[in-house]
Amino acid sequence: MNADIKAVEAAVRTYLDGLYEGDAEKLAHVFHPTSALTTAREDGTIQILPRDQWLEAVRNRPAPQKAGLQRDDHILTIDLVGPTLAMVKVKCQMPPRYFTDLLSLLKIESRWQIVQKVFMTETAGA
């Protein structure tokens, strides 16, 4: 397997581990400082959350692991677009919320980092 694909997969696995464990430091390691998280709200507006604001929210919410929630996350696709750009699609959950994330990664100073997360949320029973 291509070394870059392995490195991208490792970065995304760290992201998924950090989400489940509620580990903001793991997340900070794989998200570039200028990154943001973007989603469409139910009212049709766009919400853009800077990385550090999101990390603070992670620090202040119960970790799915500690809450006893089942872990169920999957890397669906890894598209190595070029030598410095990758796009990864993942599914993860924090019941009753289920997420689909599109992660844009850039290879910066020989390390793959998430520079943008665009996501949607579905709620069980909704």
Side-chain angles (χ1 to χ4, degrees), residues 44-65:
T45 60
I46 300 296
Q47 175 185 7
I48 301 172
L49 193 61
R51 179 196 84 156
D52 290 344
Q53 194 174 338
W54 172 61
L55 292 175
E56 192 58 31
V58 169
R59 288 182 186 99
N60 292 308
R61 71 180 182 210
Q65 183 179 42

Side-chain angles (χ1 to χ4, degrees), residues 2 8-9 18 23 32 40 43 45 49 60 62 64-65 69 79 82 84 88 96 98-99 103 108-109 112:
N2 182 306
V8 167
E9 182 178 4
D23 188 332
H32 190 271
D43 66 5
T45 60
L49 193 61
N60 292 308
Q65 183 179 42
L69 297 176
D79 183 2
T84 61
V88 180
Y98 298 84
F99 301 91
L103 306 172
I108 304 163
E109 297 174 357
W112 287 97

Side-chain angles (χ1 to χ4, degrees), residues 27-114:
L27 296 170
H29 179 73
V30 294
F31 274 79
H32 190 271
T34 65
S35 62
L37 294 80
T38 304
T39 193
R41 294 180 179 191
E42 287 184 24
D43 66 5
T45 60
I46 300 296
Q47 175 185 7
I48 301 172
L49 193 61
R51 179 196 84 156
D52 290 344
Q53 194 174 338
W54 172 61
L55 292 175
E56 192 58 31
V58 169
R59 288 182 186 99
N60 292 308
R61 71 180 182 210
Q65 183 179 42
K66 289 188 175 136
L69 297 176
Q70 178 182 348
R71 182 169 180 174
D72 188 22
D73 49 52
H74 306 281
I75 297 174
L76 301 175
T77 59
I78 297 176
D79 183 2
L80 190 59
V81 179
T84 61
L85 174 64
M87 175 68 75
V88 180
K89 182 178 177 181
V90 302
K91 289 254 189 196
C92 56
Q93 66 178 19
M94 287 176 52
R97 295 171 300 155
Y98 298 84
F99 301 91
T100 302
D101 299 345
L102 298 178
L103 306 172
S104 297
L105 292 89
L106 291 174
K107 192 173 188 179
I108 304 163
E109 297 174 357
S110 302
R111 185 168 72 88
W112 287 97
Q113 296 178 63
I114 299 168

